[in-house]
Amino acid sequence: MGQTSGKLDDAAAQKRMMEVQRQYVNVRMEAVDFENPTGADDDKEEEEDAPDAAGAGDAAQTVEEDVTYERYKPAKLVVKHARPHPSHAVENGTLATVAPPDVTYKLRIETERPEVVREGRLSDLQLEFVTYACQRHEGDLASGARRGFFLGDGAGMGKGRQLAGLILENLLAGRRKHVWVTTCIDLKDDAARDLRDVGVDDVDVFALPTDPRAAMTQEAGVLVCTYSGMSKGCSAAATARGTAGRLEQLVRWCGDGFDGCLLFDESHCAKNLLPEVKGGQTNAGRAVFEIQRRLPRARVVYCSATAVSEPRNYAYMTRLGLWGPGSPFPVAGGGDESEVAAIAGFVKASECRGVGAMELCALHLKREGALLCRTLSYKGAAFEVVEASLTAEQVKQYDKAAQLWQVLHTRCEQKLAHLALAVEALDPTTLGLTPKDDAYAAAYDRYDAEAKKYKACRASYHSQLWGGHQRFFRSLITGFKVPKLVELARTALKEGKCVVVGLQSTGEARTRDAIEEHGEIFDDFVSAPRATIERLITKVFACPDDEARKARRKAARFGGGDTATNDDAPLGRTVRGVGRRAAAVRKKTYADTDSDDDDDKSVDEEKEAKRLGIVYGKTAVRWKRPTGAMASGVITRRQYPFFMCKFEGTAGELKFSDAQIGNMIVYDVDDSDDSPRPSPRPSPRPKSKPGAKKRKSGDSDDEDFEEDDEEEEEAFSDEESAAAA
């Protein structure tokens, strides 16, 4: 066959193609014949005349058509009084053809914690995982390392609860130290919740300290860390610099002979240990590989619903026994399963055999008792698309947003056009220069440099513009759906159903930016569309505010001024709320005490601290941790432009901006005692008696602020009393 050109040189062919494209645009979707989109009459005839390439006729099917599922129940595990899983579970039909090994492990939960089984805290399917994982951990690989287990259950099977059940079983066996690796440190609370649900109440659940050189004093408990945190210091560059690695800190806490659980939740984060592209290896994959090598007796569990999509994703699962001594893929020279050559040999052999090799690996692991892969059954489930009709106000808001983005696009193109004209004016030919002129070389170099800058600037502008455009309208449309969602949720709750809401984007990044800049106290929701617009204007246009807007924004920030509106206030704030807090900060007074730590401070820093009423080492603060708990501490020093604070239970210092500190200061510490005492507060204003003089319409709004302040102070006093109790 000859080579086909990508261009249509024939004018008639181009015309026919344009007509086909025009039909796709103009006609309704139902009118398009997708089996014969070009309208050619001989397409089907050619298909009928052509021989079957696979030689199988109708037997040739796609992979999706071959996939079947079988109802799943524990095949060989019998636990007295065990309750069935709340929902039906299924298993891949191919995997269901292999039976798991016989159960030889005696479950301690059944005898020592019968209430966990009897009350259904762990279902029969979840108890099956605990049993087979413990049974697998009782054996060793040929290299002497303890064997591992792979939990590949789908969403809804309660993988976190199963891992908590495994920790409970090992706690009953006397193993007091365990490591739980996950994707986000916020999931530490979820891990603690799962442990409480299975009856683990007397074990400390904690995270890695912020200082990589800090020693962890906990003699027992569950250490929760993230893949990114564990991998810090594992890169080649960090090793060359001598950066303290978090992996070393973790291994030191585990100690020699560590035989507790090493749980890799969402283990697919480490799947790029052996990437296809050179240099694509991730630090997370390197850290997971290394900690398994450093802790050979750890009881490893890989947990993920999407852990393996191709053979090379198995590379970090060194405890499954798929390669190494005693396996079909041994290492030449007597190496163990951590040898890269053995991993590469397994990957190469599996990739050559395609999908069939992946299925054989799964069948082999289940037969060896190293794999469980179940998922919820969708039998009886229904899918319905509900249309959320826009109100007249929403339609008007959308039209205005579209007009705004048209203006932004026009302004962006105008700015790029001006830049292009400026670059074109530097062209040596435009300046009348020829290559023979002495100034031609310098002029051309300048022109070439500016042309490259323009090209990069154009790409950056378009990226910022259209990226912001997508984020803006995605957030806006999500907001338009909320009223209909609330209506459907209320109806479902009245019918006794459970409601689960999935969000494409939560706007958390914009909220964190607002917290970092203005503190954690909000008067209103953080508008993600507004944050997107402000970010685009700042990055693309970089236009300074006019003096009037600067004055309004300053007034809004400090809660004063008659011209400031909520549009001028920071994200998530209102002018009234900002003013109320500013008035509260101005009213607070602090004891005048001397500090020995102020001798080495600069005069400017002392003035700044005095303005805010801060005495280093004396002024106490309260901070709401991400977990929701309140932490108490003191302001230790100034590290411009931040204040450094030391909190109870925290190894290092945390930094906060001026605005954050103003909202956190609550009382001072007495020189003679280490216990905190409340700061002097203004006595509450007596309530107005009948017949008292009413405020005139022209009076200041400070009285309203003072009333709000008194309510806040009373609420805070109750909060302090509760904390003291």
Side-chain angles (χ1 to χ4, degrees):
M1 297 179 64
Q3 185 177 2
T4 303
S5 174
K7 298 181 180 180
L8 297 176
D9 297 329
D10 186 10
Q14 292 183 3
K15 185 176 181 180
R16 287 196 302 270
M17 182 58 67
M18 292 294 294
E19 183 64 27
V20 171
Q21 293 178 353
R22 190 177 297 107
Q23 291 176 2
Y24 272 112
V25 174
N26 295 333
V27 302
R28 292 172 58 87
M29 187 68 71
E30 298 84 359
V32 179
D33 184 5
F34 288 96
E35 295 183 357
N36 185 20
T38 60
D41 297 333
D42 56 345
D43 286 350
K44 293 185 178 179
E45 296 179 1
E46 292 180 0
E47 292 180 1
E48 293 174 357
D49 296 339
D52 189 357
D58 296 335
Q61 295 179 338
T62 62
V63 176
E64 290 78 5
E65 293 172 343
D66 287 339
V67 174
T68 59
Y69 291 92
E70 301 291 339
R71 177 74 179 274
Y72 186 87
K73 290 184 178 180
K76 299 186 177 181
L77 177 67
V78 178
V79 179
K80 191 176 181 180
H81 303 303
R83 293 190 180 185
H85 201 68
S87 181
H88 296 309
V90 294
E91 186 182 33
N92 183 280
T94 304
L95 205 58
T97 60
V98 176
D102 296 333
V103 176
T104 60
Y105 181 82
K106 184 61 177 177
L107 200 63
R108 289 182 173 85
I109 295 178
E110 181 181 5
T111 56
E112 300 182 27
R113 291 289 185 88
E115 70 279 2
V116 175
V117 179
R118 187 171 55 254
E119 296 173 3
R121 300 184 185 183
L122 290 172
S123 66
D124 55 351
L125 301 184
Q126 294 169 338
L127 289 170
E128 183 185 29
F129 158 73
V130 177
T131 302
Y132 276 115
C134 292
Q135 181 172 311
R136 176 76 175 173
H137 290 156
E138 287 187 332
D140 296 338
L141 299 174
S143 63
R146 193 184 298 277
R147 294 186 298 184
F149 192 88
F150 180 16
L151 178 61
D153 285 353
M157 293 300 298
K159 293 188 289 294
R161 181 73 66 91
Q162 295 180 74
L163 297 180
L166 180 62
I167 291 179
L168 173 61
E169 179 70 17
N170 282 272
L171 288 172
L172 295 176
R175 305 178 188 98
R176 307 295 296 174
K177 284 187 176 183
H178 306 279
V179 178
W180 191 322
V181 187
T182 184
T183 56
C184 178
I185 196 59
D186 293 339
L187 297 177
K188 180 176 72 71
D189 298 334
D190 295 340
R193 178 204 61 203
D194 290 330
L195 289 169
R196 287 194 304 268
D197 290 343
V198 299
V200 181
D201 299 323
D202 56 345
V203 175
D204 187 18
V205 180
F206 60 96
L208 277 174
T210 56
D211 186 2
R213 295 179 176 82
M216 289 178 285
T217 58
Q218 293 86 349
E219 297 181 356
V222 179
L223 172 59
V224 180
C225 65
T226 63
Y227 289 96
S228 60
M230 184 179 64
S231 61
K232 288 182 179 179
C234 291
S235 63
T239 304
R241 292 194 304 266
T243 304
R246 309 308 296 272
L247 190 63
E248 294 289 340
Q249 188 181 29
L250 196 154
V251 171
R252 284 199 307 269
W253 179 79
C254 292
D256 298 334
F258 174 76
D259 63 346
C261 294
L262 179 56
L263 310 177
F264 296 108
D265 192 10
E266 305 294 346
S267 60
H268 56 266
C269 294
K271 66 181 182 180
N272 286 329
L273 176 65
L274 199 67
E276 293 186 60
V277 182
K278 185 178 180 181
Q281 186 185 50
T282 60
N283 292 335
R286 190 182 296 110
V288 170
F289 179 80
E290 181 64 19
I291 194 173
Q292 293 179 89
R293 188 186 66 82
R294 299 281 297 274
L295 302 174
R297 304 303 300 166
R299 301 170 189 271
V300 177
V301 174
Y302 313 100
C303 177
S304 175
T306 56
V308 179
S309 58
E310 54 181 325
R312 64 180 60 253
N313 297 152
Y314 277 111
Y316 67 93
M317 301 184 184
T318 58
R319 300 292 185 89
L320 296 182
L322 293 175
W323 58 83
S327 71
F329 301 94
V331 184
D336 59 11
E337 64 277 352
S338 61
E339 294 290 337
V340 179
I343 304 174
F346 164 79
V347 171
K348 183 177 180 180
S350 301
E351 288 179 342
C352 293
R353 290 162 177 79
V355 180
M358 298 285 290
E359 294 181 347
L360 289 176
C361 286
L363 295 173
H364 168 73
L365 291 175
K366 182 182 177 182
R367 186 183 62 183
E368 293 292 320
L371 171 67
L372 283 177
C373 187
R374 296 94 33 114
T375 188
L376 293 181
S377 173
Y378 291 98
K379 184 178 181 181
F383 178 83
E384 181 183 4
V385 177
V386 179
E387 181 179 350
S389 300
L390 299 181
T391 63
E393 182 181 356
Q394 290 175 338
V395 172
K396 184 178 180 181
Q397 188 176 4
Y398 187 92
D399 292 342
K400 287 185 177 180
Q403 294 174 5
L404 172 62
W405 280 95
Q406 289 176 354
V407 172
L408 291 175
H409 176 261
T410 303
R411 295 294 185 270
C412 181
E413 293 300 325
Q414 287 179 353
K415 185 172 183 179
L416 289 174
H418 287 302
L419 293 176
L421 291 175
V423 172
E424 185 178 355
L426 299 176
D427 190 349
T429 56
T430 305
L431 299 176
L433 299 176
T434 63
K436 297 181 180 180
D437 297 330
D438 296 337
Y440 180 84
Y444 181 81
D445 291 341
R446 183 184 177 188
Y447 166 73
D448 184 61
E450 294 298 327
K452 291 180 179 179
K453 289 181 181 180
Y454 167 74
K455 185 177 181 180
C457 185
R458 182 180 181 84
S460 176
Y461 280 9
H462 284 167
S463 175
Q464 295 289 342
L465 179 70
W466 296 117
H469 179 271
Q470 291 180 349
R471 289 191 297 271
F472 177 89
F473 281 100
R474 180 180 61 186
S475 302
L476 185 64
I477 293 173
T478 301
F480 286 164
K481 296 178 182 178
V482 171
K484 187 65 176 180
L485 171 64
V486 172
E487 177 185 345
L488 295 174
R490 287 176 175 172
T491 303
L493 291 175
K494 290 180 180 179
E495 297 174 355
K497 298 178 181 179
C498 180
V499 179
V500 179
V501 180
L503 294 175
Q504 291 181 337
S505 176
T506 61
E508 183 180 3
R510 304 285 80 80
T511 304
R512 288 182 176 178
D513 293 343
I515 291 175
E516 180 68 21
E517 184 176 0
H518 307 295
E520 297 183 350
I521 300 179
F522 293 94
D523 308 306
D524 198 359
F525 290 108
V526 174
S527 173
R530 173 186 165 185
T532 302
I533 289 287
E534 291 183 353
R535 187 183 184 91
L536 174 68
I537 294 176
T538 302
K539 287 198 170 186
V540 174
F541 299 99
C543 54
D545 291 340
D546 58 272
E547 295 300 325
R549 178 163 175 78
K550 281 184 178 180
R552 291 199 307 270
R553 292 180 68 90
K554 184 177 180 180
R557 187 177 299 275
F558 293 99
D562 299 330
T563 60
T565 64
N566 289 337
D567 293 336
D568 300 312
L571 284 173
R573 276 80 177 168
T574 61
V575 175
R576 183 175 178 81
V578 174
R580 185 169 60 247
R581 284 190 297 276
V585 171
R586 289 193 297 268
K587 287 168 58 179
K588 290 179 180 178
T589 57
Y590 303 91
D592 295 329
T593 55
D594 295 330
S595 174
D596 296 336
D597 299 332
D598 292 341
D599 297 336
D600 57 345
K601 306 300 181 182
S602 65
V603 177
D604 294 338
E605 292 179 354
E606 290 179 356
K607 289 183 179 180
E608 181 69 14
K610 186 176 181 180
R611 183 182 68 83
L612 296 174
I614 293 175
V615 179
Y616 297 118
K618 305 291 183 180
T619 302
V621 291
R622 294 186 70 195
W623 170 56
K624 187 176 182 182
R625 297 181 183 273
T627 59
M630 297 300 296
S632 300
V634 296
I635 304 177
T636 57
R637 58 191 176 89
R638 174 76 164 176
Q639 184 178 340
Y640 192 81
F642 300 105
F643 285 98
M644 308 302 294
C645 300
K646 181 71 172 64
F647 292 94
E648 298 175 359
T650 304
E653 294 178 327
L654 302 180
K655 59 183 179 180
F656 298 91
S657 64
D658 295 357
Q660 291 174 307
I661 285 293
N663 296 325
M664 292 165 54
I665 298 176
V666 291
Y667 48 70
D668 287 348
V669 178
D670 194 354
D671 293 338
S672 59
D673 189 6
D674 292 337
S675 60
R677 61 178 176 82
S679 63
R681 298 186 179 275
S683 58
R685 212 161 39 109
K687 297 182 179 179
S688 59
K689 298 180 181 180
K693 182 180 179 180
K694 295 183 180 180
R695 184 172 63 93
K696 297 180 180 180
S697 58
D699 292 343
S700 173
D701 292 334
D702 290 342
E703 294 182 7
D704 292 340
F705 293 153
E706 291 176 359
E707 293 175 0
D708 295 333
D709 293 337
E710 289 171 7
E711 295 175 1
E712 290 183 358
E713 290 169 2
E714 291 174 3
F716 188 78
S717 299
D718 296 338
E719 190 175 335
E720 284 183 340
S721 301

